[in-house]
């Protein structure tokens, strides 16, 4: 008898025999309603023929005794998602839970469905989705799942959520520059699909408009230092024509902006003040040290896990949508603008 014959059948084996996807097998096992009767019967026959049995952790899901939570994440190479993931894992451990993480390249309906099915098979009691993109939240809203789900990274969704108040953070950054005497504040935004980028841009715009200032041209990057560097080269061309301050949507892009300005002979903060967002550990060692907006990822993790546990235990959540306040950290990259630039139209 071969090794393959000795091992117990898996969900993938059942799927191959029934001629369906493993997601369909998972839905049949989870008694999902959106499976055709014919397909359900074919899967059940394959399960019986192969003698397939769900693993013990999956069976334990019915009694909620697995003490395991799931996390679905993408872009964990970026500081924000990576810090959020670490905070969630730490908060779960404090509560006595293990964490099973699925990292995806993109959070589409299909990929999210596969991830949730995988976590369901592993017996998780609930899932936190780190979903900073609006498309990811929309995809989650289309899916049905057999356990509670909490979204981290996007607010204002019809799913229980925990997020940092990005709008407030942008207002703090922009208001700081206006209070320092700058007449206009430019903005280098993040990718268009990211809800955080949209909220920061809206906070910047609203702060300027509330001060009676028409927002100048918005630039856009992809969170990377390279995109910040290229935007910084463009911004350097506006120095002397009214540009004295820039709010950058994250610290990595701000790093690129600072280098581009320095190479163009533009001094920071004497000629152009720069504010970032995130307060990455390296930001205080930038040249000059970067004024930025700090996100409290530890609190995001604690509140996210606490909210999920409330849902798992069947308690109505105290606050289904939680917004964590950010903090402005002032360093040497900002100071009052020079009077020569005041009043120059853009």
């Amino acid at each position: 008898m071969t090794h393959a014959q000795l091992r117990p059948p898996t969900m993938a084996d059942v799927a191959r025999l029934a001629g369906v996807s493993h997601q369909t097998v998972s839905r049949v096992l989870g008694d999902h309603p959106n499976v055709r009767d014919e397909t359900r019967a074919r899967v059940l026959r394959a399960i019986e023929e192969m003698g397939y049995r769900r693993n013990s952790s999956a069976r334990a899901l019915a009694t909620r005794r697995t003490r395991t939570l799931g996390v679905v994440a993408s872009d964990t190479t970026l500081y924000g998602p990576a810090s959020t993931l670490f905070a969630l894992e730490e908060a779960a451990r404090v509560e006595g839970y293990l964490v099973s993480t699925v990292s995806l390249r993109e959070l589409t309906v299909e990929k999210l469905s596969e991830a949730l099915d995988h976590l369901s098979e592993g017996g998780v009691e609930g899932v936190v989705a780190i979903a900073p993109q609006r498309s990811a939240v929309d995809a989650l809203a289309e899916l049905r799942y057999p356990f509670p789900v909490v979204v981290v990274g996007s607010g204002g969704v019809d799913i229980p959520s925990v997020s940092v108040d990005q709008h407030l953070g942008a207002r703090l950054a922009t208001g700081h520059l206006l209070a320092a005497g700058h007449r206009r504040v430019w903005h280098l935004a993040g990718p268009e699909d990211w809800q955080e980028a949209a909220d920061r841009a809206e906070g910047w715009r609203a702060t300027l408009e509330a001060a009676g200032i028409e927002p100048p041209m918005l630039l856009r990057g992809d969170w990377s230092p390279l995109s910040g560097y290229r935007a910084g080269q463009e911004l350097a061309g506006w120095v002397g024509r009214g540009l004295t301050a820039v709010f950058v949507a994250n610290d990595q892009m701000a790093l690129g902006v600072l280098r581009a300005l320095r190479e163009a002979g533009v001094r920071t903060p004497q000629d152009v003040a720069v504010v970032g967002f995130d307060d990455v550990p390296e930001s205080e060692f930038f040249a000059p040290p970067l004024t930025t907006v700090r996100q409290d990822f530890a609190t995001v993790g604690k509140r996210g896990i606490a909210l999920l546990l409330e849902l798992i235990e069947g308690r109505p959540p105290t606050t289904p949508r939680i917004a964590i306040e950010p903090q402005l950290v002032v360093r040497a990259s900002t100071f009052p603008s020079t009077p020569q630039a005041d009043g120059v139209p853009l």
Side-chain angles (χ1 to χ4, degrees), residues 5-319:
Q5 291 171 316
L6 286 172
R7 69 171 175 82
T10 66
M11 187 184 295
D13 295 328
V14 173
R16 278 192 293 271
L17 181 60
V20 298
S21 67
H22 80 275
Q23 297 98 315
T24 299
V25 177
S26 178
R27 292 189 181 100
V28 170
L29 290 168
D31 200 26
H32 283 233
N34 58 336
V35 179
R36 291 197 302 268
D37 291 341
E38 178 186 346
T39 303
R40 187 183 304 276
R42 192 162 70 249
V43 171
L44 291 174
R45 282 196 302 272
I47 288 172
E48 184 177 357
E49 180 178 336
M50 301 199 75
Y52 172 75
R53 296 292 182 269
R54 299 194 77 178
N55 61 46
S56 59
S57 62
R59 290 196 302 271
L61 178 59
T63 58
R64 295 182 178 178
R65 302 295 299 179
T66 65
R67 305 292 291 181
T68 302
L69 305 177
V71 175
V72 178
S74 69
D75 288 318
T76 50
T77 56
L78 296 173
Y79 177 74
S83 299
T84 301
L85 176 59
F86 177 81
L88 289 167
E89 291 175 340
E90 185 69 18
R93 278 194 295 270
V94 169
E95 295 293 335
Y97 282 78
L98 298 174
V99 173
S100 178
T101 301
V102 177
S103 296
L104 302 175
R105 187 175 298 276
E106 53 182 349
L107 298 178
T108 62
V109 172
E110 180 182 2
K111 295 298 183 183
L112 280 168
S113 179
E114 291 177 3
L116 294 174
D117 284 341
H118 172 77
L119 292 170
S120 178
E121 171 70 8
V124 301
E125 298 181 26
V127 168
V128 178
I130 303 174
Q133 300 98 333
R134 286 175 290 192
S135 59
V137 178
D138 292 341
L140 278 169
E142 291 185 29
L143 298 173
R144 299 181 64 176
Y145 15 80
F147 37 60
V149 171
V150 168
V151 172
V152 170
S154 290
V157 296
D158 194 24
I159 302 173
S161 63
V162 179
S163 61
V164 174
D165 190 336
Q166 308 293 331
H167 198 277
L168 173 60
R171 296 203 312 269
L172 291 173
T174 308
H176 168 69
L177 291 167
L178 293 178
H182 298 276
R183 294 290 185 88
R184 291 231 179 127
V185 178
W186 290 56
H187 182 46
L188 171 56
E192 204 162 0
D193 183 46
W194 282 60
Q195 186 62 50
E196 293 175 346
D199 290 345
R200 292 171 197 176
E202 178 54 35
W204 160 77
R205 186 177 294 107
T207 304
L208 293 182
E209 291 175 348
I213 299 171
E214 181 181 352
M217 177 178 64
L218 180 144
L219 302 177
R220 197 171 291 280
D222 61 8
W223 300 130
S224 70
L226 177 59
S227 67
Y229 178 76
R230 289 170 175 164
Q233 291 176 314
E234 183 174 352
L235 290 166
W238 288 92
V239 176
R241 295 189 288 161
L243 173 65
T244 65
V246 182
F247 163 43
V248 185
N250 80 330
D251 291 351
Q252 294 298 322
M253 291 195 299
L255 176 62
V257 168
L258 289 172
R259 176 177 170 177
L261 293 178
R262 184 167 61 250
E263 289 181 354
V266 178
R267 300 169 300 169
T268 302
Q270 293 87 342
D271 301 321
V272 175
V274 178
V275 176
F277 206 107
D278 280 339
D279 193 28
V280 300
E282 301 83 4
S283 61
E284 64 178 308
F285 301 101
F286 287 4
L290 183 67
T291 294
T292 186
V293 177
R294 177 180 296 158
Q295 302 194 76
D296 188 349
F297 293 110
T299 297
V300 170
K302 291 176 185 175
R303 299 294 296 274
I305 294 299
L307 178 57
L308 183 59
L309 294 182
E310 283 184 324
L311 297 171
I312 289 171
E313 293 164 7
R315 293 182 283 138
T318 307
T319 307

